[in-house]
């Protein structure tokens, strides 16, 4: 224990302090102080001022996405209490939704008597409001190394360039894509662009074909007589249109090649076919005039046929 005198204090929040403190020599047992109980959290109380969604059956409402995953989720609205189920099965063509997306929808009763959202439409926003957001959309136009993508999530179209998106397969008009909106990397810094682009569906990047083995080459030689070096097949009437052979695997000969591109001919079609290294990144050696090759006919971003998956025989 201690003896002390109480005096006024100018320090701290307490106006008093202990002075002339001395020990008494007696042990004073300390009484345990009870721990304060943590504050109790009130249970959430539903907003009874809002009606249930059933009151809006057959009516159009506006709201936002609460959650959405694997083709289904829930939406909230300021018009009714609780949330409403939404799924792709009742909304064909609905884009991939993200929490917070603004929507317009109709409250409908299913055959099992459950309420859900149908006729769902995403309310488009300004692009600047979606910076950093994941979106899905459709290629409106693409030529060379750049183009534009549209989406029901925003007004207008959005720039898409290969410089920020090193895709193995160039996008084509009508392709479905997934992307993130970012501020433009152009010199003036104005506008926005699509980055982290992923081609969806059948246009997803394809694995590079394996190089042909020596056994494969011998098999090709045994089935097809070799042409003389330098010989070039000339186009004649009656041969097929390359655009009607998209997806076909053919054999032909390099007519010319310089830098990163050139042309290939074949007895299967008239004229020649464009071939470029950008569509054939797996090639490890430079093509040259007279090379015998196998290739797949594909439609390029400009709508013309080109040779991809090229292998030197």
């Amino acid at each position: 224990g201690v003896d002390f005198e109480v005096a006024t204090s100018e320090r701290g929040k307490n106006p008093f302090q202990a002075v002339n403190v001395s020990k008494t020599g007696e042990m004073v047992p300390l009484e345990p102080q009870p721990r304060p109980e943590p504050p109790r959290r009130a249970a959430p109380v539903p907003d009874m001022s809002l009606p249930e969604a059933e009151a809006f059956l057959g009516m159009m409402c506006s709201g936002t996405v609460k959650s959405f995953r694997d083709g289904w989720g829930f939406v909230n609205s300021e018009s009714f209490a609780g949330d409403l189920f939404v799924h792709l099965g009742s909304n064909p063509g609905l884009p991939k939704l993200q929490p917070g997306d603004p929507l317009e929808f109709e409250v409908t009763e299913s055959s099992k008597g459950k309420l859900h959202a149908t006729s769902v439409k995403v309310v488009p926003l300004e692009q600047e409001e979606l910076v950093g957001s994941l979106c899905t959309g459709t290629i409106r136009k693409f030529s060379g190394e750049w183009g534009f993508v549209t989406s029901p999530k925003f007004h207008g179209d959005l720039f898409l360039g290969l410089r920020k998106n090193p895709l193995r397969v160039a996008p084509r008009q009508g392709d479905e894509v997934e992307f993130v909106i970012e501020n433009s990397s152009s010199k003036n810094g104005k506008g926005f662009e699509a980055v982290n682009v992923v081609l969806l569906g059948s246009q997803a990047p394809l694995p590079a074909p394996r190089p042909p083995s020596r056994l494969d080459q011998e098999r090709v030689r045994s089935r097809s007589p070799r042409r003389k070096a330098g010989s070039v097949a000339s186009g004649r009437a009656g041969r097929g249109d390359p655009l009607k052979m998209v997806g076909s695997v053919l054999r032909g000969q390099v007519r010319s090649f310089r830098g990163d591109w050139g042309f290939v001919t074949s007895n299967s079609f008239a004229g020649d076919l464009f071939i470029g290294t950008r569509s054939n990144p797996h090639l490890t050696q430079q093509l040259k005039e007279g090379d015998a090759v196998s290739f797949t006919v594909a439609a390029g971003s400009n709508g013309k046929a080109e040779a991809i998956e090229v292998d030197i025989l």
Side-chain angles (χ1 to χ4, degrees), residues 68-298:
F68 196 86
R69 185 177 181 182
D70 298 331
W72 62 275
F74 296 94
V75 298
N76 295 130
S77 174
E78 295 181 354
S79 301
F80 53 79
D83 45 35
L84 190 65
F85 181 70
V86 59
H87 63 106
L88 290 179
S90 300
N91 298 277
L94 187 67
K96 188 175 182 180
L97 299 177
Q98 299 291 326
D101 283 348
L103 303 174
E104 290 181 348
F105 55 90
E106 181 181 353
V107 180
T108 307
E109 186 175 5
S110 70
S111 58
K112 297 182 179 180
K114 302 291 185 179
L115 297 182
H116 61 141
T118 61
S119 304
V120 177
K121 295 181 179 179
V122 179
V123 179
L125 300 175
E126 297 300 326
Q127 294 178 11
E128 62 183 351
E129 300 179 74
L130 295 171
V131 171
S133 299
L134 181 67
C135 301
T136 55
T138 306
I139 298 294
R140 180 180 70 81
K141 176 184 178 182
F142 202 92
S143 179
E145 296 187 352
W146 58 275
F148 297 93
V149 59
T150 60
S151 172
K153 290 192 176 183
F154 53 78
H155 297 285
D157 49 27
L158 186 69
F159 176 80
L160 189 161
L162 293 183
R163 188 171 65 86
K164 294 291 290 292
N165 299 282
L167 300 172
R168 286 187 53 200
V169 179
R172 296 181 295 184
Q173 183 178 352
D175 279 350
E176 297 294 323
V177 292
E178 184 179 83
F179 55 92
V180 175
I181 299 179
E182 274 195 1
N183 292 310
S184 175
S185 59
S186 61
K187 293 181 179 179
N188 57 22
K190 295 181 180 179
F192 308 92
E193 64 180 309
V195 300
N196 300 336
V197 175
V198 177
L199 292 170
L200 304 177
S202 60
Q203 291 302 316
L206 300 174
R210 64 175 180 83
S213 65
R214 180 175 299 178
L215 179 60
D216 293 334
Q217 296 177 14
E218 292 298 327
R219 287 174 177 172
V220 172
R221 293 191 186 102
S222 65
R223 291 195 302 264
S224 176
R226 299 184 63 181
R227 295 194 186 100
K228 295 180 180 180
S231 63
V232 177
S234 59
R236 293 196 297 262
R239 292 180 181 174
D241 180 359
L243 281 175
K244 296 181 180 179
M245 301 180 183
V246 170
S248 300
V249 179
L250 306 176
R251 291 194 297 270
Q253 193 172 37
V254 175
R255 179 174 70 80
S256 63
F257 200 90
R258 183 175 181 182
D260 295 330
W261 58 276
F263 296 95
V264 62
T265 60
S266 172
N267 287 329
S268 300
F269 55 79
D272 48 29
L273 204 61
F274 176 81
I275 177 174
T277 56
R278 190 164 65 88
S279 298
N280 296 277
H282 61 281
L283 289 174
T284 57
Q285 64 184 87
Q286 180 81 8
L287 295 174
K288 60 183 182 297
E289 182 180 346
D291 279 345
V293 292
S294 67
F295 56 91
T296 300
V297 181

